[in-house]
Amino acid sequence: MMVKAIYHKDGCIYIGTYSKGLLKVNRFTNTYETLFDPVKAKDTSFHGIFIIKEDDQKRIWMNKGARIGLADLEKGAFINSIDIGYNRKGRTHNIPQCFNQVAPDRFILGTFYYLPDPIYKRANKIY
């Protein structure tokens, strides 16, 4: 299993992986659970989790494959998100690699390929 992101809150460690989904490890009970399992996903696109970050308003940002947005880690699901992928040869590509807050409600996102122009318009709808 390749770990790509780690986030700690309230005694729980959330682990984003390349291909095994989102895991939650409870440090107090020494147990873990899979919050999101890409094997059970309805679509066959890539679901690697590379980003789990908290912003200055205590909101959690996460990605699943080419989607990035505000997340509810307890459910392993998005509250609100956008797709940053682009289509190449019939397949959706683009993977968020890094995400940082640069000012209140302003973020910078690095991706494996590039951000298509419409992303800037869609990103304003997230927060």
Side-chain angles (χ1 to χ4, degrees), residues 28-86:
F28 302 115
T29 63
N30 289 324
T31 59
Y32 79 94
E33 62 183 306
T34 302
L35 298 178
F36 168 73
D37 186 349
V39 172
K40 297 176 183 174
K42 293 178 183 169
D43 62 64
T44 58
S45 62
F46 178 71
H47 291 284
I49 298 171
F50 292 13
I51 297 166
I52 306 171
K53 290 266 194 165
E54 183 176 301
D55 68 15
D56 64 354
Q57 295 181 40
K58 304 294 183 196
R59 299 176 296 189
I60 304 300
W61 294 81
M62 184 179 83
N63 84 295
K64 283 185 192 173
R67 292 200 77 77
I68 189 162
L70 298 172
D72 179 338
L73 289 182
E74 290 302 313
K75 295 179 182 174
F78 287 118
I79 298 167
N80 192 0
S81 67
I82 56 173
D83 185 359
I84 63 166
Y86 71 97

Side-chain angles (χ1 to χ4, degrees), residues 12-15 22-26 31-35 74:
C12 293
I13 301 169
Y14 298 88
I15 302 169
L22 180 63
L23 307 176
K24 176 184 175 183
V25 178
N26 186 314
T31 59
Y32 79 94
E33 62 183 306
T34 302
L35 298 178
E74 290 302 313

